[in-house]
Amino acid sequence: MMEFIYKGKKYTWEEWYNEKKSFIENIRLPDEFLIDPALMEFSIIHDEGYSIAIEKFRELYRLIAGARNCLINAFEKFYDSNIIDRDKGYWVQLWTRGEYLKNSIIWYTSCEDYIYQIIWFAFEMGENEIRSCEDYENQLRQVCYTSIKNKLKIKNTLEAQELLQYINDYRFNDDVKYMRDELANNLKHRGHLYFKGLEEIRLFGCKKYDKDKNVIFDLDWVNPKIVDLDATIELLKRVHNELIEFGNKIKKFIDFENMFEKTEDGNIDLNVIKDKKSYKKIIF
């Protein structure tokens, strides 16, 4: 019987397969973000902001799917021999897992910015209408947490307060904040993260002292952050589920289908649309 050993724990092939299967099942894909494109096509006639937001929900799904795929590959502890050279030791597998994990961190962090775009366009927070590609690009450059927060605080209706609360609940979640401010920030501005077992170890320290023997420079100050691979994977799994919950709160709050009238049997009548003030919870 084939066995694998990881961090002192023995796995049969079946046990490892079941553990991986369980991990994948606990980071589901949000199929509900794949909003019917017909809704987008009909809404563009009456509500350009909603049509953009619907398309961005569909794109958010694809972004999450990419981040999730990288996370699954980072979780993989035993790569097939046609992927890596096992003769070079387990560090090659660790390196491969780490590279997948770094990509997953960046993509999950981007998802937060993408939801800000959904909110911005759904509630038409830009000061000017979009009448060219340049207009759209200009608005994209304005989208950020601070801009949305300030606009919602100025509006200060119950609906604006509710939306801002949803945003803050996700943004300041401990796991999300750590991923964004510590992990992604290190990757963006230092270009790297070290994972335990792969960090470079110097034979000698490198410090500079003044005449009073005070340290005035230490090369360790500029070292990349060192994190545990498996602990970081578990953190991103929690972020994944927080992200889907956040996205669903925003989707429910916007309530795209509410812009259309309903037929007597409760179906959406795509040919009849309401006045914006009757279905859009926040008007700018």
Side-chain angles (χ1 to χ4, degrees):
M1 180 185 293
M2 185 181 292
E3 283 188 339
F4 305 92
I5 300 176
Y6 183 74
K7 289 187 173 180
K9 181 179 178 180
K10 289 185 178 180
Y11 293 89
T12 64
W13 175 254
E14 184 179 8
E15 287 171 339
W16 167 238
Y17 172 81
N18 288 333
E19 184 172 304
K20 183 179 176 181
K21 181 172 180 284
S22 175
F23 180 84
I24 293 171
E25 288 172 349
N26 280 287
I27 48 172
R28 73 174 183 86
L29 283 169
D31 292 337
E32 63 274 21
F33 291 176
L34 291 173
I35 301 169
D36 187 347
L39 202 63
M40 175 188 68
E41 292 167 0
F42 277 90
S43 68
I44 196 172
I45 302 169
H46 306 284
D47 195 320
E48 295 163 2
Y50 268 22
S51 69
I52 295 172
I54 290 169
E55 175 61 17
K56 286 193 172 292
F57 254 115
R58 295 177 62 82
E59 291 175 4
L60 176 64
Y61 171 90
R62 292 186 278 271
L63 192 57
I64 291 173
R68 175 181 179 267
N69 180 63
C70 287
L71 185 59
I72 291 169
N73 278 289
F75 181 80
E76 177 65 76
K77 297 178 176 68
F78 310 106
Y79 286 103
D80 192 271
S81 58
N82 66 354
I83 297 174
I84 59 104
D85 184 355
R86 288 183 176 169
D87 291 338
K88 293 185 177 180
Y90 192 74
W91 76 268
V92 180
Q93 301 208 43
L94 277 179
W95 180 87
T96 305
R97 293 176 67 199
E99 292 304 299
Y100 276 119
L101 186 54
K102 285 187 280 188
N103 278 282
S104 187
I105 290 166
I106 294 298
W107 295 130
Y108 275 123
T109 303
S110 296
C111 289
E112 180 179 352
D113 297 326
Y114 227 85
I115 292 181
Y116 294 157
Q117 293 179 29
I118 289 170
I119 294 167
W120 180 278
F121 290 109
F123 295 107
E124 298 172 313
M125 292 183 172
E127 294 181 2
N128 302 310
E129 291 184 329
I130 296 173
R131 290 295 172 261
S132 68
C133 183
E134 185 180 352
D135 291 341
Y136 171 69
E137 294 293 336
N138 286 336
Q139 286 213 24
L140 275 180
R141 285 191 282 269
Q142 298 174 49
V143 180
C144 67
Y145 167 74
T146 302
S147 294
I148 293 174
K149 178 190 70 174
N150 290 341
K151 286 178 178 290
L152 292 175
K153 282 193 170 185
I154 290 170
K155 183 60 68 173
N156 202 33
T157 61
L158 289 176
E159 291 80 6
Q161 292 172 18
E162 180 183 357
L163 179 55
L164 184 56
Q165 186 62 55
Y166 291 151
I167 294 169
N168 286 337
D169 285 346
Y170 180 80
R171 183 171 182 81
F172 297 107
N173 171 277
D174 287 343
D175 289 333
V176 173
K177 193 171 183 296
Y178 180 80
M179 177 188 71
R180 181 185 61 246
D181 297 347
E182 296 293 332
L183 302 179
N185 190 60
N186 268 273
L187 283 172
K188 288 177 181 178
H189 300 295
R190 293 188 174 184
H192 200 28
L193 276 175
Y194 279 163
F195 297 105
K196 290 179 180 176
L198 289 172
E199 67 270 27
E200 293 182 4
I201 300 173
R202 298 191 185 94
L203 293 177
F204 303 99
C206 186
K207 295 181 181 180
K208 189 175 181 181
Y209 298 87
D210 63 16
K211 62 180 181 180
D212 297 319
K213 296 186 178 180
N214 297 311
V215 176
I216 59 173
F217 183 79
D218 188 337
L219 201 55
D220 287 344
W221 296 345
V222 299
N223 276 348
K225 188 176 183 68
I226 302 173
V227 296
D228 181 84
L229 193 79
D230 294 305
T232 306
I233 289 168
E234 288 300 313
L235 181 137
L236 260 63
K237 182 177 79 171
R238 297 193 297 271
V239 168
H240 175 95
N241 292 313
E242 287 288 338
L243 174 64
I244 292 176
E245 183 181 351
F246 178 38
N248 273 310
K249 284 180 180 178
I250 299 306
K251 181 172 175 283
K252 183 178 179 181
F253 182 85
I254 295 171
D255 192 5
F256 294 107
E257 294 182 357
N258 193 40
M259 74 176 125
F260 296 101
E261 294 287 359
K262 297 284 182 70
T263 61
E264 290 183 359
D265 55 2
N267 293 320
I268 298 172
D269 186 346
L270 293 173
N271 295 310
V272 182
I273 197 165
K274 302 175 183 175
D275 181 81
K276 282 186 180 181
K277 291 181 180 178
S278 69
Y279 67 81
K280 205 179 280 273
K281 293 178 180 176
I282 306 172
I283 300 288
F284 285 93

